[in-house]
Structure formats: structure tokens, C-alpha cells
Amino acid sequence: VLPDVETVSKEKNEPTLEYSNTFKLNSGFLKEALKNADTLEKGLGVTLSSSDKKKLVAECGNDDKGREIIEVEGLVEAFDVKFGEPFRKVTSVLDGELKVSLKTDYPAKLEYSDSEMELKFIVASLER
């Protein structure tokens, strides 16, 4: 359900966040990691990390069944961030290419757009 345009404030209430890593990612990558986690245990968090500036690792659970790895461009520094249920919910409703911005101990920003809409989600990370 979309909000009533007349009742939405015209002011942008988006927080000012600065990110060192911004990259494009197909939502299917995250959905696959979460699907694998669902076979392990419901409600697991997802950890996004990178240590070599080329590979993004999404981990759900404690073994390789919940691990997906993909090469992405745009990684500037290493990061290791864990997210909970809100991240899972946002990921489940997005299909297609996402613009992801994140860094360690910081909320992630996920952006999606198509010919009809533009969506931005700010998702808080969990404490490690």
C-alpha cells in the first residue's frame, strides 16, 4: 500500500550518512543467502563482509550452507556488518538491482528504482 501523497511531508527526513562503500548488487544474491538460512533456522541474521575489496560475502548461520560470495565493484574498505529481521524484510520485497551503501558499525542504505518508483531503506545494524 502506498502512502497518501497529500499527507506525506514534503521535507526530506533522511539522515545524513556518509559511506565509504557503495556498490550495485542484484537482490537475488541476498535472497539466496536468506533462503539458505531459512533451511537452517528461522530468524537468523545476515552478515555482510568483505576483506579483499572485490568479494562480498553474505553469511547466514555458521556453515557454508548459509554463505554466498559474489564479486562486486565499488568496495573501498573492508567491512563486517550484521543485520537482523528488518534487513530480511527489506530484502524480501525488492526485486532487481539495488544500490547498497555500507560500512562497519553503521546502518546500511539500500536503494531501488524503476520507471515507476524510487525507494530508499535505511536499515540499522546489530551490535556484534
Side-chain angles (χ1 to χ4, degrees):
V1 175
L2 297 175
D4 179 12
V5 177
E6 292 182 19
T7 61
V8 176
S9 171
K10 297 295 180 192
E11 294 181 32
K12 286 192 172 191
N13 295 321
E14 183 178 325
T16 303
L17 299 170
E18 295 181 18
Y19 294 96
S20 50
N21 295 301
T22 298
F23 53 92
K24 293 189 179 189
L25 180 66
N26 188 296
S27 63
F29 169 75
L30 296 174
K31 287 182 179 187
E32 188 64 25
L34 293 172
K35 180 180 81 169
N36 291 340
D38 285 341
T39 65
L40 300 170
E41 178 183 337
K42 291 283 186 194
L44 285 175
V46 59
T47 300
L48 299 179
S49 62
S50 179
S51 58
D52 71 0
K53 298 183 185 174
K54 287 188 180 181
K55 291 186 176 135
L56 173 67
V57 179
E59 292 182 276
C60 303
N62 298 320
D63 62 18
D64 290 341
K65 289 182 183 175
R67 181 179 295 138
E68 295 292 321
I69 301 172
I70 191 171
E71 288 196 17
V72 295
E73 294 180 21
L75 301 180
V76 176
E77 67 181 28
F79 58 88
D80 186 15
V81 189
K82 184 171 184 171
F83 299 97
E85 192 62 24
F87 185 85
R88 294 170 66 93
K89 287 181 179 178
V90 167
T91 302
S92 72
V93 298
L94 299 175
D95 284 316
E97 188 173 79
L98 308 175
K99 181 178 172 185
V100 180
S101 302
L102 52 75
K103 66 182 180 180
T104 299
D105 298 326
Y106 215 66
K109 180 167 58 171
L110 292 97
E111 299 175 78
Y112 170 81
S113 63
D114 63 19
S115 60
E116 298 178 14
M117 66 181 147
E118 181 178 305
L119 301 171
K120 284 185 189 177
F121 296 91
I122 307 294
V123 184
S125 61
L126 297 174
E127 288 188 36
R128 309 260 305 141

